Amino acid sequence: MPPVSKIIDRQVGRNAELLAHAITKLEGPEERYPYLRILASIIEQAHPEWNMAPQKDRQIAHLIRRMIGPVIETDEITEIVRVRDEERGYFHD
C-alpha cells in the first residue's frame, strides 16, 4: 500500500507513516519486530496521554493499522507493545 497524501496522525508525523509502510515490505514477524518496536516508541512519544491507558496496546495497533491497512495482524503489534511495557515494569491485564 503506497503512502497516502493525507497524514493519518499529525502528532506522529509523515516520517513515522513512511516507516510503517516500509515495515510492510519486510518478511515475517521476526524481521518486522525491531522496526515495529521503534514505531511503537515513536507513537508513544507522540501520544504521552496513552502511556497509562488500559487499552494502550490496542490504541497503538489501531493507529498502525490505519497507517498501513490490514497487512500486519493486530496481535503482532499488541504483543510488541506489551513486551515493551513489561520490560519497563508496566503490566497489562
Side-chain angles (χ1 to χ4, degrees):
M1 175 180 211
V4 292
S5 60
K6 184 177 178 184
I7 296 175
I8 300 295
D9 186 314
R10 290 196 175 280
Q11 287 175 273
V12 175
R14 170 68 71 205
N15 288 338
E17 287 188 31
L18 294 173
L19 173 61
H21 286 283
I23 291 170
T24 64
K25 294 178 175 72
L26 300 174
E27 303 260 342
E30 296 82 20
E31 197 173 329
R32 290 189 295 261
Y33 180 81
Y35 300 101
L36 283 171
R37 277 184 66 110
I38 292 167
L39 183 57
S41 177
I42 291 168
I43 292 170
E44 286 177 339
Q45 289 175 8
H47 290 286
E49 69 277 9
W50 291 0
N51 281 338
M52 299 310 287
Q55 295 293 319
K56 176 177 110 174
D57 54 341
R58 293 277 170 205
Q59 288 173 296
I60 290 174
H62 176 72
L63 179 56
I64 290 173
R65 287 182 55 110
R66 281 185 53 217
M67 289 180 195
I68 63 171
V71 179
I72 298 173
E73 294 294 323
T74 301
D75 291 341
E76 181 180 343
I77 301 165
T78 57
E79 182 62 28
I80 289 168
V81 175
R82 288 182 188 135
V83 167
R84 288 187 78 247
D85 283 353
E86 288 173 7
E87 289 172 355
R88 292 182 289 174
Y90 305 133
F91 296 96
H92 294 267
D93 294 332

PDB file of all heavy atoms in Angstrom, residues 4-41:
ATOM      1  N   VAL A   4      -0.267   7.525   1.571  1.00  0.00           N
ATOM      2  CA  VAL A   4      -1.336   8.406   1.124  1.00  0.00           C
ATOM      3  C   VAL A   4      -0.880   9.842   1.287  1.00  0.00           C
ATOM      4  O   VAL A   4       0.036  10.142   2.033  1.00  0.00           O
ATOM      5  CB  VAL A   4      -2.636   8.147   1.913  1.00  0.00           C
ATOM      6  CG1 VAL A   4      -3.191   6.783   1.577  1.00  0.00           C
ATOM      7  CG2 VAL A   4      -2.419   8.281   3.392  1.00  0.00           C
ATOM      8  N   SER A   5      -1.553  10.749   0.595  1.00  0.00           N
ATOM      9  CA  SER A   5      -1.132  12.142   0.650  1.00  0.00           C
ATOM     10  C   SER A   5      -1.541  12.816   1.957  1.00  0.00           C
ATOM     11  O   SER A   5      -0.894  13.744   2.405  1.00  0.00           O
ATOM     12  CB  SER A   5      -1.690  12.912  -0.546  1.00  0.00           C
ATOM     13  OG  SER A   5      -3.101  12.852  -0.530  1.00  0.00           O
ATOM     14  N   LYS A   6      -2.617  12.342   2.579  1.00  0.00           N
ATOM     15  CA  LYS A   6      -3.078  12.935   3.820  1.00  0.00           C
ATOM     16  C   LYS A   6      -2.441  12.201   5.004  1.00  0.00           C
ATOM     17  O   LYS A   6      -2.438  10.977   5.054  1.00  0.00           O
ATOM     18  CB  LYS A   6      -4.602  12.838   3.924  1.00  0.00           C
ATOM     19  CG  LYS A   6      -5.163  13.506   5.146  1.00  0.00           C
ATOM     20  CD  LYS A   6      -6.672  13.440   5.149  1.00  0.00           C
ATOM     21  CE  LYS A   6      -7.193  14.080   6.424  1.00  0.00           C
ATOM     22  NZ  LYS A   6      -8.632  13.968   6.534  1.00  0.00           N
ATOM     23  N   ILE A   7      -1.890  12.953   5.950  1.00  0.00           N
ATOM     24  CA  ILE A   7      -1.269  12.355   7.125  1.00  0.00           C
ATOM     25  C   ILE A   7      -2.361  11.810   8.032  1.00  0.00           C
ATOM     26  O   ILE A   7      -3.328  12.505   8.346  1.00  0.00           O
ATOM     27  CB  ILE A   7      -0.400  13.391   7.873  1.00  0.00           C
ATOM     28  CG1 ILE A   7       0.754  13.845   6.991  1.00  0.00           C
ATOM     29  CG2 ILE A   7       0.114  12.822   9.185  1.00  0.00           C
ATOM     30  CD1 ILE A   7       1.596  14.950   7.598  1.00  0.00           C
ATOM     31  N   ILE A   8      -2.212  10.576   8.474  1.00  0.00           N
ATOM     32  CA  ILE A   8      -3.202   9.928   9.336  1.00  0.00           C
ATOM     33  C   ILE A   8      -3.213  10.563  10.721  1.00  0.00           C
ATOM     34  O   ILE A   8      -4.257  10.821  11.290  1.00  0.00           O
ATOM     35  CB  ILE A   8      -2.911   8.410   9.455  1.00  0.00           C
ATOM     36  CG1 ILE A   8      -2.944   7.723   8.097  1.00  0.00           C
ATOM     37  CG2 ILE A   8      -3.849   7.733  10.451  1.00  0.00           C
ATOM     38  CD1 ILE A   8      -4.278   7.709   7.416  1.00  0.00           C
ATOM     39  N   ASP A   9      -2.030  10.807  11.283  1.00  0.00           N
ATOM     40  CA  ASP A   9      -1.915  11.364  12.634  1.00  0.00           C
ATOM     41  C   ASP A   9      -0.791  12.391  12.635  1.00  0.00           C
ATOM     42  O   ASP A   9       0.389  12.040  12.572  1.00  0.00           O
ATOM     43  CB  ASP A   9      -1.628  10.242  13.642  1.00  0.00           C
ATOM     44  CG  ASP A   9      -1.646  10.714  15.069  1.00  0.00           C
ATOM     45  OD1 ASP A   9      -1.043  11.763  15.369  1.00  0.00           O
ATOM     46  OD2 ASP A   9      -2.262  10.031  15.901  1.00  0.00           O
ATOM     47  N   ARG A  10      -1.147  13.662  12.693  1.00  0.00           N
ATOM     48  CA  ARG A  10      -0.146  14.729  12.624  1.00  0.00           C
ATOM     49  C   ARG A  10       0.845  14.696  13.781  1.00  0.00           C
ATOM     50  O   ARG A  10       1.987  15.088  13.619  1.00  0.00           O
ATOM     51  CB  ARG A  10      -0.818  16.092  12.553  1.00  0.00           C
ATOM     52  CG  ARG A  10      -1.499  16.324  11.230  1.00  0.00           C
ATOM     53  CD  ARG A  10      -1.809  17.806  11.032  1.00  0.00           C
ATOM     54  NE  ARG A  10      -2.357  18.039   9.726  1.00  0.00           N
ATOM     55  CZ  ARG A  10      -1.636  18.130   8.609  1.00  0.00           C
ATOM     56  NH1 ARG A  10      -0.348  17.983   8.656  1.00  0.00           N
ATOM     57  NH2 ARG A  10      -2.222  18.358   7.450  1.00  0.00           N
ATOM     58  N   GLN A  11       0.414  14.227  14.944  1.00  0.00           N
ATOM     59  CA  GLN A  11       1.326  14.153  16.085  1.00  0.00           C
ATOM     60  C   GLN A  11       2.425  13.126  15.834  1.00  0.00           C
ATOM     61  O   GLN A  11       3.553  13.316  16.248  1.00  0.00           O
ATOM     62  CB  GLN A  11       0.563  13.810  17.364  1.00  0.00           C
ATOM     63  CG  GLN A  11      -0.273  14.964  17.873  1.00  0.00           C
ATOM     64  CD  GLN A  11      -1.103  14.543  19.068  1.00  0.00           C
ATOM     65  OE1 GLN A  11      -2.204  14.036  18.889  1.00  0.00           O
ATOM     66  NE2 GLN A  11      -0.570  14.749  20.244  1.00  0.00           N
ATOM     67  N   VAL A  12       2.090  12.055  15.163  1.00  0.00           N
ATOM     68  CA  VAL A  12       3.062  11.013  14.857  1.00  0.00           C
ATOM     69  C   VAL A  12       3.927  11.445  13.672  1.00  0.00           C
ATOM     70  O   VAL A  12       5.133  11.285  13.682  1.00  0.00           O
ATOM     71  CB  VAL A  12       2.363   9.669  14.586  1.00  0.00           C
ATOM     72  CG1 VAL A  12       3.357   8.617  14.139  1.00  0.00           C
ATOM     73  CG2 VAL A  12       1.631   9.207  15.832  1.00  0.00           C
ATOM     74  N   GLY A  13       3.309  11.979  12.645  1.00  0.00           N
ATOM     75  CA  GLY A  13       4.045  12.567  11.537  1.00  0.00           C
ATOM     76  C   GLY A  13       4.230  11.678  10.320  1.00  0.00           C
ATOM     77  O   GLY A  13       4.007  10.474  10.335  1.00  0.00           O
ATOM     78  N   ARG A  14       4.644  12.329   9.253  1.00  0.00           N
ATOM     79  CA  ARG A  14       4.822  11.677   7.951  1.00  0.00           C
ATOM     80  C   ARG A  14       5.951  10.646   7.976  1.00  0.00           C
ATOM     81  O   ARG A  14       5.829   9.565   7.418  1.00  0.00           O
ATOM     82  CB  ARG A  14       5.103  12.735   6.879  1.00  0.00           C
ATOM     83  CG  ARG A  14       5.532  12.187   5.538  1.00  0.00           C
ATOM     84  CD  ARG A  14       4.446  11.440   4.804  1.00  0.00           C
ATOM     85  NE  ARG A  14       3.455  12.371   4.335  1.00  0.00           N
ATOM     86  CZ  ARG A  14       2.199  12.054   4.083  1.00  0.00           C
ATOM     87  NH1 ARG A  14       1.784  10.823   4.248  1.00  0.00           N
ATOM     88  NH2 ARG A  14       1.344  12.933   3.673  1.00  0.00           N
ATOM     89  N   ASN A  15       7.078  10.957   8.630  1.00  0.00           N
ATOM     90  CA  ASN A  15       8.195  10.005   8.624  1.00  0.00           C
ATOM     91  C   ASN A  15       7.819   8.690   9.300  1.00  0.00           C
ATOM     92  O   ASN A  15       8.228   7.624   8.851  1.00  0.00           O
ATOM     93  CB  ASN A  15       9.437  10.610   9.279  1.00  0.00           C
ATOM     94  CG  ASN A  15      10.074  11.665   8.400  1.00  0.00           C
ATOM     95  OD1 ASN A  15       9.879  11.675   7.190  1.00  0.00           O
ATOM     96  ND2 ASN A  15      10.832  12.557   9.011  1.00  0.00           N
ATOM     97  N   ALA A  16       7.028   8.752  10.365  1.00  0.00           N
ATOM     98  CA  ALA A  16       6.575   7.529  11.020  1.00  0.00           C
ATOM     99  C   ALA A  16       5.656   6.739  10.090  1.00  0.00           C
ATOM    100  O   ALA A  16       5.714   5.504  10.058  1.00  0.00           O
ATOM    101  CB  ALA A  16       5.870   7.851  12.330  1.00  0.00           C
ATOM    102  N   GLU A  17       4.835   7.424   9.332  1.00  0.00           N
ATOM    103  CA  GLU A  17       3.974   6.739   8.373  1.00  0.00           C
ATOM    104  C   GLU A  17       4.797   6.076   7.273  1.00  0.00           C
ATOM    105  O   GLU A  17       4.501   4.959   6.859  1.00  0.00           O
ATOM    106  CB  GLU A  17       2.954   7.700   7.768  1.00  0.00           C
ATOM    107  CG  GLU A  17       1.875   8.079   8.743  1.00  0.00           C
ATOM    108  CD  GLU A  17       0.755   8.870   8.094  1.00  0.00           C
ATOM    109  OE1 GLU A  17       0.470   8.659   6.899  1.00  0.00           O
ATOM    110  OE2 GLU A  17       0.151   9.685   8.813  1.00  0.00           O
ATOM    111  N   LEU A  18       5.832   6.747   6.816  1.00  0.00           N
ATOM    112  CA  LEU A  18       6.710   6.156   5.807  1.00  0.00           C
ATOM    113  C   LEU A  18       7.416   4.925   6.373  1.00  0.00           C
ATOM    114  O   LEU A  18       7.579   3.918   5.676  1.00  0.00           O
ATOM    115  CB  LEU A  18       7.719   7.188   5.305  1.00  0.00           C
ATOM    116  CG  LEU A  18       7.118   8.360   4.520  1.00  0.00           C
ATOM    117  CD1 LEU A  18       8.182   9.405   4.226  1.00  0.00           C
ATOM    118  CD2 LEU A  18       6.458   7.874   3.245  1.00  0.00           C
ATOM    119  N   LEU A  19       7.833   4.993   7.648  1.00  0.00           N
ATOM    120  CA  LEU A  19       8.424   3.836   8.308  1.00  0.00           C
ATOM    121  C   LEU A  19       7.416   2.691   8.358  1.00  0.00           C
ATOM    122  O   LEU A  19       7.747   1.538   8.057  1.00  0.00           O
ATOM    123  CB  LEU A  19       8.899   4.195   9.714  1.00  0.00           C
ATOM    124  CG  LEU A  19       9.385   3.028  10.585  1.00  0.00           C
ATOM    125  CD1 LEU A  19      10.591   2.340   9.954  1.00  0.00           C
ATOM    126  CD2 LEU A  19       9.709   3.519  11.989  1.00  0.00           C
ATOM    127  N   ALA A  20       6.183   3.003   8.724  1.00  0.00           N
ATOM    128  CA  ALA A  20       5.144   1.975   8.802  1.00  0.00           C
ATOM    129  C   ALA A  20       4.967   1.284   7.450  1.00  0.00           C
ATOM    130  O   ALA A  20       4.857   0.053   7.382  1.00  0.00           O
ATOM    131  CB  ALA A  20       3.820   2.591   9.267  1.00  0.00           C
ATOM    132  N   HIS A  21       4.957   2.046   6.386  1.00  0.00           N
ATOM    133  CA  HIS A  21       4.803   1.458   5.052  1.00  0.00           C
ATOM    134  C   HIS A  21       6.016   0.610   4.681  1.00  0.00           C
ATOM    135  O   HIS A  21       5.874  -0.447   4.061  1.00  0.00           O
ATOM    136  CB  HIS A  21       4.568   2.547   4.003  1.00  0.00           C
ATOM    137  CG  HIS A  21       3.203   3.129   4.074  1.00  0.00           C
ATOM    138  ND1 HIS A  21       2.092   2.489   3.587  1.00  0.00           N
ATOM    139  CD2 HIS A  21       2.763   4.291   4.612  1.00  0.00           C
ATOM    140  CE1 HIS A  21       1.025   3.231   3.802  1.00  0.00           C
ATOM    141  NE2 HIS A  21       1.409   4.328   4.429  1.00  0.00           N
ATOM    142  N   ALA A  22       7.207   1.047   5.073  1.00  0.00           N
ATOM    143  CA  ALA A  22       8.416   0.270   4.788  1.00  0.00           C
ATOM    144  C   ALA A  22       8.401  -1.055   5.552  1.00  0.00           C
ATOM    145  O   ALA A  22       8.858  -2.080   5.033  1.00  0.00           O
ATOM    146  CB  ALA A  22       9.658   1.080   5.147  1.00  0.00           C
ATOM    147  N   ILE A  23       7.856  -1.053   6.760  1.00  0.00           N
ATOM    148  CA  ILE A  23       7.786  -2.270   7.570  1.00  0.00           C
ATOM    149  C   ILE A  23       6.944  -3.335   6.874  1.00  0.00           C
ATOM    150  O   ILE A  23       7.245  -4.523   6.975  1.00  0.00           O
ATOM    151  CB  ILE A  23       7.235  -1.952   8.977  1.00  0.00           C
ATOM    152  CG1 ILE A  23       8.260  -1.133   9.777  1.00  0.00           C
ATOM    153  CG2 ILE A  23       6.868  -3.225   9.735  1.00  0.00           C
ATOM    154  CD1 ILE A  23       7.718  -0.558  11.075  1.00  0.00           C
ATOM    155  N   THR A  24       5.935  -2.918   6.154  1.00  0.00           N
ATOM    156  CA  THR A  24       5.063  -3.903   5.488  1.00  0.00           C
ATOM    157  C   THR A  24       5.803  -4.692   4.407  1.00  0.00           C
ATOM    158  O   THR A  24       5.358  -5.769   4.030  1.00  0.00           O
ATOM    159  CB  THR A  24       3.830  -3.232   4.852  1.00  0.00           C
ATOM    160  OG1 THR A  24       4.252  -2.341   3.807  1.00  0.00           O
ATOM    161  CG2 THR A  24       3.014  -2.490   5.891  1.00  0.00           C
ATOM    162  N   LYS A  25       6.912  -4.187   3.946  1.00  0.00           N
ATOM    163  CA  LYS A  25       7.684  -4.874   2.909  1.00  0.00           C
ATOM    164  C   LYS A  25       8.605  -5.947   3.489  1.00  0.00           C
ATOM    165  O   LYS A  25       9.177  -6.737   2.755  1.00  0.00           O
ATOM    166  CB  LYS A  25       8.481  -3.865   2.104  1.00  0.00           C
ATOM    167  CG  LYS A  25       7.598  -2.934   1.294  1.00  0.00           C
ATOM    168  CD  LYS A  25       8.434  -1.923   0.548  1.00  0.00           C
ATOM    169  CE  LYS A  25       7.601  -1.055  -0.355  1.00  0.00           C
ATOM    170  NZ  LYS A  25       6.768  -0.095   0.285  1.00  0.00           N
ATOM    171  N   LEU A  26       8.759  -5.957   4.819  1.00  0.00           N
ATOM    172  CA  LEU A  26       9.622  -6.940   5.466  1.00  0.00           C
ATOM    173  C   LEU A  26       8.891  -8.272   5.594  1.00  0.00           C
ATOM    174  O   LEU A  26       7.687  -8.307   5.797  1.00  0.00           O
ATOM    175  CB  LEU A  26      10.057  -6.435   6.842  1.00  0.00           C
ATOM    176  CG  LEU A  26      10.846  -5.126   6.832  1.00  0.00           C
ATOM    177  CD1 LEU A  26      11.079  -4.654   8.255  1.00  0.00           C
ATOM    178  CD2 LEU A  26      12.162  -5.288   6.095  1.00  0.00           C
ATOM    179  N   GLU A  27       9.645  -9.350   5.514  1.00  0.00           N
ATOM    180  CA  GLU A  27       9.072 -10.696   5.558  1.00  0.00           C
ATOM    181  C   GLU A  27       9.059 -11.219   6.987  1.00  0.00           C
ATOM    182  O   GLU A  27      10.094 -11.295   7.620  1.00  0.00           O
ATOM    183  CB  GLU A  27       9.908 -11.639   4.697  1.00  0.00           C
ATOM    184  CG  GLU A  27      10.032 -11.199   3.269  1.00  0.00           C
ATOM    185  CD  GLU A  27       9.098 -11.938   2.353  1.00  0.00           C
ATOM    186  OE1 GLU A  27       8.605 -12.991   2.750  1.00  0.00           O
ATOM    187  OE2 GLU A  27       8.883 -11.438   1.253  1.00  0.00           O
ATOM    188  N   GLY A  28       7.917 -11.571   7.474  1.00  0.00           N
ATOM    189  CA  GLY A  28       7.786 -12.269   8.745  1.00  0.00           C
ATOM    190  C   GLY A  28       7.909 -11.419   9.990  1.00  0.00           C
ATOM    191  O   GLY A  28       8.543 -10.361   9.984  1.00  0.00           O
ATOM    192  N   PRO A  29       7.317 -11.896  11.073  1.00  0.00           N
ATOM    193  CA  PRO A  29       7.322 -11.165  12.349  1.00  0.00           C
ATOM    194  C   PRO A  29       8.718 -10.915  12.911  1.00  0.00           C
ATOM    195  O   PRO A  29       8.966  -9.866  13.508  1.00  0.00           O
ATOM    196  CB  PRO A  29       6.511 -12.063  13.288  1.00  0.00           C
ATOM    197  CG  PRO A  29       5.707 -12.934  12.400  1.00  0.00           C
ATOM    198  CD  PRO A  29       6.488 -13.089  11.136  1.00  0.00           C
ATOM    199  N   GLU A  30       9.636 -11.877  12.737  1.00  0.00           N
ATOM    200  CA  GLU A  30      10.987 -11.711  13.285  1.00  0.00           C
ATOM    201  C   GLU A  30      11.711 -10.539  12.637  1.00  0.00           C
ATOM    202  O   GLU A  30      12.417  -9.796  13.298  1.00  0.00           O
ATOM    203  CB  GLU A  30      11.819 -12.993  13.105  1.00  0.00           C
ATOM    204  CG  GLU A  30      11.287 -14.183  13.849  1.00  0.00           C
ATOM    205  CD  GLU A  30      10.159 -14.898  13.102  1.00  0.00           C
ATOM    206  OE1 GLU A  30      10.031 -14.712  11.862  1.00  0.00           O
ATOM    207  OE2 GLU A  30       9.396 -15.618  13.768  1.00  0.00           O
ATOM    208  N   GLU A  31      11.531 -10.375  11.355  1.00  0.00           N
ATOM    209  CA  GLU A  31      12.179  -9.286  10.634  1.00  0.00           C
ATOM    210  C   GLU A  31      11.518  -7.939  10.959  1.00  0.00           C
ATOM    211  O   GLU A  31      12.189  -6.914  11.037  1.00  0.00           O
ATOM    212  CB  GLU A  31      12.125  -9.556   9.127  1.00  0.00           C
ATOM    213  CG  GLU A  31      13.101  -8.723   8.332  1.00  0.00           C
ATOM    214  CD  GLU A  31      13.153  -9.137   6.879  1.00  0.00           C
ATOM    215  OE1 GLU A  31      12.947 -10.322   6.566  1.00  0.00           O
ATOM    216  OE2 GLU A  31      13.390  -8.238   6.042  1.00  0.00           O
ATOM    217  N   ARG A  32      10.205  -7.953  11.166  1.00  0.00           N
ATOM    218  CA  ARG A  32       9.472  -6.707  11.460  1.00  0.00           C
ATOM    219  C   ARG A  32       9.630  -6.256  12.902  1.00  0.00           C
ATOM    220  O   ARG A  32       9.498  -5.066  13.196  1.00  0.00           O
ATOM    221  CB  ARG A  32       7.983  -6.897  11.159  1.00  0.00           C
ATOM    222  CG  ARG A  32       7.654  -7.026   9.710  1.00  0.00           C
ATOM    223  CD  ARG A  32       6.169  -6.990   9.473  1.00  0.00           C
ATOM    224  NE  ARG A  32       5.471  -8.120  10.044  1.00  0.00           N
ATOM    225  CZ  ARG A  32       5.086  -9.190   9.360  1.00  0.00           C
ATOM    226  NH1 ARG A  32       5.324  -9.261   8.077  1.00  0.00           N
ATOM    227  NH2 ARG A  32       4.435 -10.170   9.957  1.00  0.00           N
ATOM    228  N   TYR A  33       9.889  -7.193  13.810  1.00  0.00           N
ATOM    229  CA  TYR A  33       9.872  -6.928  15.247  1.00  0.00           C
ATOM    230  C   TYR A  33      10.653  -5.664  15.668  1.00  0.00           C
ATOM    231  O   TYR A  33      10.079  -4.786  16.310  1.00  0.00           O
ATOM    232  CB  TYR A  33      10.390  -8.153  16.023  1.00  0.00           C
ATOM    233  CG  TYR A  33      10.415  -7.965  17.508  1.00  0.00           C
ATOM    234  CD1 TYR A  33       9.260  -8.134  18.257  1.00  0.00           C
ATOM    235  CD2 TYR A  33      11.588  -7.614  18.172  1.00  0.00           C
ATOM    236  CE1 TYR A  33       9.268  -7.966  19.629  1.00  0.00           C
ATOM    237  CE2 TYR A  33      11.609  -7.442  19.534  1.00  0.00           C
ATOM    238  CZ  TYR A  33      10.444  -7.617  20.264  1.00  0.00           C
ATOM    239  OH  TYR A  33      10.461  -7.437  21.613  1.00  0.00           O
ATOM    240  N   PRO A  34      11.943  -5.519  15.316  1.00  0.00           N
ATOM    241  CA  PRO A  34      12.667  -4.332  15.807  1.00  0.00           C
ATOM    242  C   PRO A  34      12.097  -3.018  15.274  1.00  0.00           C
ATOM    243  O   PRO A  34      12.088  -2.004  15.982  1.00  0.00           O
ATOM    244  CB  PRO A  34      14.107  -4.545  15.356  1.00  0.00           C
ATOM    245  CG  PRO A  34      14.046  -5.580  14.293  1.00  0.00           C
ATOM    246  CD  PRO A  34      12.807  -6.394  14.539  1.00  0.00           C
ATOM    247  N   TYR A  35      11.601  -3.052  14.055  1.00  0.00           N
ATOM    248  CA  TYR A  35      11.072  -1.827  13.451  1.00  0.00           C
ATOM    249  C   TYR A  35       9.696  -1.467  14.004  1.00  0.00           C
ATOM    250  O   TYR A  35       9.381  -0.286  14.166  1.00  0.00           O
ATOM    251  CB  TYR A  35      11.050  -1.959  11.926  1.00  0.00           C
ATOM    252  CG  TYR A  35      12.438  -2.205  11.395  1.00  0.00           C
ATOM    253  CD1 TYR A  35      12.850  -3.484  11.034  1.00  0.00           C
ATOM    254  CD2 TYR A  35      13.362  -1.172  11.313  1.00  0.00           C
ATOM    255  CE1 TYR A  35      14.138  -3.715  10.585  1.00  0.00           C
ATOM    256  CE2 TYR A  35      14.650  -1.389  10.864  1.00  0.00           C
ATOM    257  CZ  TYR A  35      15.038  -2.663  10.507  1.00  0.00           C
ATOM    258  OH  TYR A  35      16.309  -2.881  10.070  1.00  0.00           O
ATOM    259  N   LEU A  36       8.891  -2.484  14.306  1.00  0.00           N
ATOM    260  CA  LEU A  36       7.610  -2.200  14.956  1.00  0.00           C
ATOM    261  C   LEU A  36       7.824  -1.659  16.362  1.00  0.00           C
ATOM    262  O   LEU A  36       7.058  -0.824  16.836  1.00  0.00           O
ATOM    263  CB  LEU A  36       6.733  -3.457  14.980  1.00  0.00           C
ATOM    264  CG  LEU A  36       6.060  -3.802  13.652  1.00  0.00           C
ATOM    265  CD1 LEU A  36       5.409  -5.176  13.716  1.00  0.00           C
ATOM    266  CD2 LEU A  36       5.040  -2.739  13.272  1.00  0.00           C
ATOM    267  N   ARG A  37       8.866  -2.118  17.054  1.00  0.00           N
ATOM    268  CA  ARG A  37       9.202  -1.561  18.381  1.00  0.00           C
ATOM    269  C   ARG A  37       9.533  -0.077  18.263  1.00  0.00           C
ATOM    270  O   ARG A  37       9.095   0.735  19.072  1.00  0.00           O
ATOM    271  CB  ARG A  37      10.378  -2.303  19.000  1.00  0.00           C
ATOM    272  CG  ARG A  37      10.009  -3.579  19.694  1.00  0.00           C
ATOM    273  CD  ARG A  37      11.217  -4.200  20.370  1.00  0.00           C
ATOM    274  NE  ARG A  37      11.712  -3.379  21.449  1.00  0.00           N
ATOM    275  CZ  ARG A  37      11.630  -3.684  22.731  1.00  0.00           C
ATOM    276  NH1 ARG A  37      11.069  -4.803  23.114  1.00  0.00           N
ATOM    277  NH2 ARG A  37      12.120  -2.879  23.642  1.00  0.00           N
ATOM    278  N   ILE A  38      10.321   0.262  17.260  1.00  0.00           N
ATOM    279  CA  ILE A  38      10.685   1.666  17.036  1.00  0.00           C
ATOM    280  C   ILE A  38       9.434   2.484  16.731  1.00  0.00           C
ATOM    281  O   ILE A  38       9.241   3.563  17.286  1.00  0.00           O
ATOM    282  CB  ILE A  38      11.725   1.786  15.899  1.00  0.00           C
ATOM    283  CG1 ILE A  38      13.056   1.182  16.346  1.00  0.00           C
ATOM    284  CG2 ILE A  38      11.893   3.246  15.471  1.00  0.00           C
ATOM    285  CD1 ILE A  38      14.051   0.968  15.219  1.00  0.00           C
ATOM    286  N   LEU A  39       8.581   1.974  15.864  1.00  0.00           N
ATOM    287  CA  LEU A  39       7.354   2.680  15.504  1.00  0.00           C
ATOM    288  C   LEU A  39       6.450   2.849  16.725  1.00  0.00           C
ATOM    289  O   LEU A  39       5.895   3.930  16.941  1.00  0.00           O
ATOM    290  CB  LEU A  39       6.626   1.945  14.378  1.00  0.00           C
ATOM    291  CG  LEU A  39       5.365   2.606  13.843  1.00  0.00           C
ATOM    292  CD1 LEU A  39       5.643   4.018  13.340  1.00  0.00           C
ATOM    293  CD2 LEU A  39       4.763   1.741  12.739  1.00  0.00           C
ATOM    294  N   ALA A  40       6.326   1.813  17.541  1.00  0.00           N
ATOM    295  CA  ALA A  40       5.520   1.913  18.764  1.00  0.00           C
ATOM    296  C   ALA A  40       6.099   2.976  19.692  1.00  0.00           C
ATOM    297  O   ALA A  40       5.350   3.746  20.307  1.00  0.00           O
ATOM    298  CB  ALA A  40       5.451   0.562  19.469  1.00  0.00           C
ATOM    299  N   SER A  41       7.402   3.056  19.781  1.00  0.00           N
ATOM    300  CA  SER A  41       8.056   4.070  20.617  1.00  0.00           C
ATOM    301  C   SER A  41       7.768   5.479  20.104  1.00  0.00           C
ATOM    302  O   SER A  41       7.491   6.394  20.888  1.00  0.00           O
ATOM    303  CB  SER A  41       9.565   3.820  20.645  1.00  0.00           C
ATOM    304  OG  SER A  41      10.216   4.816  21.380  1.00  0.00           O
TER     305      SER A  41
END
